């Protein structure tokens, strides 16, 4: 991406799209530096990497009244670890850059000065690493039947690293609807013999999940989201993001 003016940052928290209620989203990630200086350090300070952490902070316009509104969602998630996915000013189309993590909704602030649009602000602190990846399913495409998404060439997973996957179910309709999403990998973009690497718990309501592999090396380089849908006239809007770290 070239230099950009921020006008289209998409933010998903569990099963809520905060895009229309946010006007500032900031992400940060850091590693503690631990002093390891000794007499063999040659007169220079020597450091080692310690614990890592990441944080998301956001603010915007306050609304309340149903589970899709920022106030309802903030109260529901306060004190809970949920998945977060944020676009890099790109609208969250398949293949667009995504940053995502599991993070604790640690604080929530609301309301303000008389005569102004009611504001909100809040912070989420990482429980898992901040992952840089890609969106694997877009937010605006309704799914009513079992299917597979577009393949992404994310590369192989080396030993000690993991494939991370986030799922945000934004809306659910139908009678006894159920969505079971999974992550598949393949040696190439044909997905002739895909391997399931992670499977989300069946979703029957709005919400979010995040998964990761166990750190074993995976030589496949192509990845996609696939899903099984059941029920009577089911329909789901959902977002997924995939990345390796």
């Amino acid at each position: 991406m070239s230099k950009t003016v921020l006008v289209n940052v998409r933010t998903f928290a569990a099963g809520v799209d905060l895009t229309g209620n946010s006007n500032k989203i900031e992400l940060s990630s850091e590693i503690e530096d631990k002093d390891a200086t000794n007499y063999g350090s040659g007169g220079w300070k020597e450091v080692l990497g310690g614990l890592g952490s990441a944080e998301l902070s956001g603010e915007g316009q306050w609304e309340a009244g149903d589970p899709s509104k920022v106030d309802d969602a903030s109260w529901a998630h306060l004190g809970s670890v949920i998945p977060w996915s944020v676009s890099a000013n790109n609208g969250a189309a398949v293949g667009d850059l995504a940053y995502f993590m599991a993070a604790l909704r640690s604080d929530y602030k609301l309301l303000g000065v008389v005569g102004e649009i009611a504001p909100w602000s809040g912070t989420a602190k990482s429980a898992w690493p901040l992952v840089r990846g890609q969106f694997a399913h877009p937010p605006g495409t309704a799914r009513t039947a079992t299917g597979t998404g577009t393949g992404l060439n994310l590369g192989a997973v080396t030993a000690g690293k993991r494939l991370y996957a986030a799922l945000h179910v934004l809306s659910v309709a139908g009678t006894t609807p159920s969505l079971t999403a999974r992550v598949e990998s393949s040696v190439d973009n044909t997905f002739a013999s895909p391997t399931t690497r992670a499977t989300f718990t069946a979703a029957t309501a709005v919400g979010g999940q995040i998964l990761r592999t166990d750190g074993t090396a995976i030589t496949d380089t192509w990845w996609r989201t696939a899903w099984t849908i059941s029920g009577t006239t089911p329909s789901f809007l959902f977002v997924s993001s995939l990345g390796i770290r």
Side-chain angles (χ1 to χ4, degrees):
M1 293 179 64
S2 59
K3 295 176 183 177
T4 182
V5 176
L6 295 177
V7 295
N8 194 24
V9 174
R10 303 294 304 271
T11 303
F12 305 96
V16 177
D17 183 351
L18 294 176
T19 306
N21 290 100
S22 58
N23 56 22
K24 184 178 181 180
I25 298 292
E26 294 183 335
L27 290 166
S28 63
S29 183
E30 65 177 352
I31 303 295
E32 289 181 335
D33 59 290
K34 296 296 185 180
D35 192 344
T37 309
N38 55 71
Y39 289 119
S41 299
W44 288 87
K45 186 175 181 179
E46 186 175 350
V47 296
L48 296 175
L51 296 176
S53 64
E55 183 174 298
L56 180 150
S57 60
E59 58 187 63
Q61 298 90 18
W62 179 89
E63 283 187 297
D66 67 61
S68 69
K69 304 298 185 182
V70 63
D71 187 67
D72 301 66
S74 295
W75 282 110
H77 300 151
L78 192 61
S80 299
V81 174
I82 61 172
W84 298 77
S85 292
V86 179
S87 77
N89 200 39
N90 53 26
V94 173
D96 282 344
L97 184 59
Y99 296 90
F100 64 101
M101 63 178 171
L104 173 74
R105 184 63 187 268
S106 56
D107 64 80
Y108 173 51
K109 183 178 179 180
L110 66 152
L111 306 183
V113 178
V114 63
E116 299 296 332
I117 295 174
W120 70 272
S121 62
T123 305
K125 297 185 178 180
S126 63
W128 284 5
L130 180 64
V131 180
R132 184 180 187 272
Q134 297 179 28
F135 285 99
H137 191 276
T141 301
R143 300 297 184 181
T144 59
T146 297
T148 58
T150 303
L152 301 173
N153 188 6
L154 299 178
V157 180
T158 58
K161 292 192 174 184
R162 302 171 188 254
L163 184 283
Y164 289 78
L167 175 70
H168 306 272
V169 180
L170 305 177
S171 72
V172 181
T175 303
T176 63
S178 179
L179 166 73
T180 302
R182 63 189 182 276
V183 179
E184 296 179 342
S185 69
S186 175
V187 296
D188 57 33
N189 63 350
T190 67
F191 285 86
S193 300
T195 301
T196 298
R197 300 296 181 178
T199 302
F200 294 97
T201 300
T204 58
V206 167
Q209 302 176 50
I210 189 166
L211 300 174
R212 59 185 177 185
T213 57
D214 61 7
T216 302
I218 300 173
T219 58
D220 289 352
T221 56
W222 283 82
W223 302 83
R224 71 182 181 187
T225 300
W227 56 89
T228 301
I229 290 178
S230 62
T232 302
T233 61
S235 182
F236 291 86
L237 287 175
F238 65 93
V239 179
S240 67
S241 47
L242 304 176
I244 296 169
R245 174 157 183 170

